[in-house]
Amino acid sequence: QKEVEQDPGPLSVPEGAIVSLNCTYSNSAFQYFMWYRQYSRKGPELLMYTYSSGNKEDGRFTAQVDKSSKYISLFIRDSQPSDSATYLCAMSAGNQGAQKLVFGQGTRLTINP
Amino acid sequence: KAGVTQTPRYLIKTRGQQVTLSCSPISGHRSVSWYQQTPGQGLQFLFEYFSETQRNKGNFPGRFSGRQFSNSRSEMNVSTLELGDSALYLCASSHGVPGNTIYFGEGSWLTVV
């Protein structure tokens, strides 16, 4: 079983819809939780960064972390065609292991105009 | 501010050869990490260098090696290439402390024939 599980999709929704992306994990040592967006043939771009449990909002994006359930989510409001990309959850443990990111498989998202 | 720069962007090698990839981190960043991305396995951590020392290592064979120079630039080397080494190799840089943002480069696309 993988340390981080993420539904690879693909996920296709109409423009303006609310998108929900999720990951589960098994390693209780994870403390830092990230969401990256990756366009085709490009490197991952950081969207959201959360430490421990809680919510974080940035514009149309909201990240949630529930450490008790080992479950993280990313919500995209008012989705746009430019949001079409692969979304990767990533997480790491503390101290010197903080730079070692463990990624989910990535969810391919398409927003239809 | 320049981002993480990787060279070359694309390369084709023959099975059994070796390859060296280069990464220039964001100015001021002392941590450089390398990842392999394939359709089947997703993004997997190779190793991390901090102040010229390997600090973290993933589960890859010894054919994969790296080093970091005093100016924080890093190289990774893959010897005795196999067809399965065909992948996108991503470099990431950060300040190297827990909670800091980790930035990725555009990657080097390696095809082994």
Side-chain angles (χ1 to χ4, degrees):
Chain A
Q1 186 183 359
K2 294 186 178 224
E3 274 189 291
V4 180
E5 299 279 358
Q6 182 178 8
D7 186 341
L11 181 62
S12 182
V13 301
E15 183 177 354
I18 296 175
V19 176
S20 172
L21 304 168
N22 311 292
C23 289
T24 59
Y25 63 95
S26 57
N27 189 344
S28 57
F30 289 146
Q31 298 183 43
Y32 301 95
F33 304 91
M34 290 139 272
W35 286 95
Y36 283 86
R37 176 174 64 193
Q38 186 175 28
Y39 292 111
S40 180
R41 306 192 74 81
K42 296 286 189 180
E45 169 195 13
L46 182 67
L47 279 177
M48 301 290 284
Y49 196 144
T50 308
Y51 170 68
S52 195
S53 285
N55 294 358
K56 185 173 183 179
E57 187 174 320
D58 184 2
R60 298 184 294 112
F61 299 90
T62 300
Q64 292 184 347
V65 174
D66 182 348
K67 290 190 70 179
S68 62
S69 301
K70 295 188 176 67
Y71 186 87
I72 71 171
S73 301
L74 177 70
F75 297 94
I76 307 174
R77 292 182 299 279
D78 188 25
S79 56
Q80 304 294 311
S82 58
D83 294 328
S84 298
T86 295
Y87 288 79
L88 298 148
C89 64
M91 43 200 83
S92 66
N95 299 319
Q96 292 192 352
Q99 311 307 308
K100 179 181 177 180
L101 300 182
V102 181
F103 282 86
Q105 192 69 11
T107 300
R108 184 176 298 179
L109 172 67
T110 300
I111 309 297
N112 301 303
Chain B
K1 185 174 181 180
V4 180
T5 304
Q6 292 188 244
T7 57
R9 289 296 317 280
Y10 304 92
L11 66 167
I12 299 174
K13 289 288 188 178
T14 303
R15 191 169 46 182
Q17 287 186 316
Q18 73 166 11
V19 66
T20 299
L21 307 177
S22 180
C23 173
S24 293
I26 291 172
S27 178
H29 285 185
R30 295 166 64 190
S31 169
V32 174
S33 301
W34 290 89
Y35 292 80
Q36 182 196 65
Q37 187 173 29
T38 60
Q41 298 300 316
L43 261 158
Q44 294 184 289
F45 175 82
L46 281 155
F47 31 66
E48 180 218 358
Y49 285 86
F50 181 82
S51 294
E52 301 180 66
T53 301
Q54 188 180 86
R55 189 164 65 169
N56 285 293
K57 189 177 187 304
N59 297 322
F60 278 82
R63 300 186 296 108
F64 293 83
S65 62
R67 59 178 176 168
Q68 186 180 32
F69 303 97
S70 58
N71 62 357
S72 293
R73 192 177 69 84
S74 177
E75 290 181 346
M76 70 161 282
N77 183 274
V78 188
S79 63
T80 320
L81 284 165
E82 300 176 0
L83 296 179
D85 296 332
S86 295
L88 176 64
Y89 289 89
L90 290 159
C91 172
S93 82
S94 71
H95 288 294
V97 296
N100 65 170
T101 301
I102 299 171
Y103 298 90
F104 282 82
E106 295 293 289
S108 292
W109 289 89
L110 171 65
T111 301
V112 182
V113 297

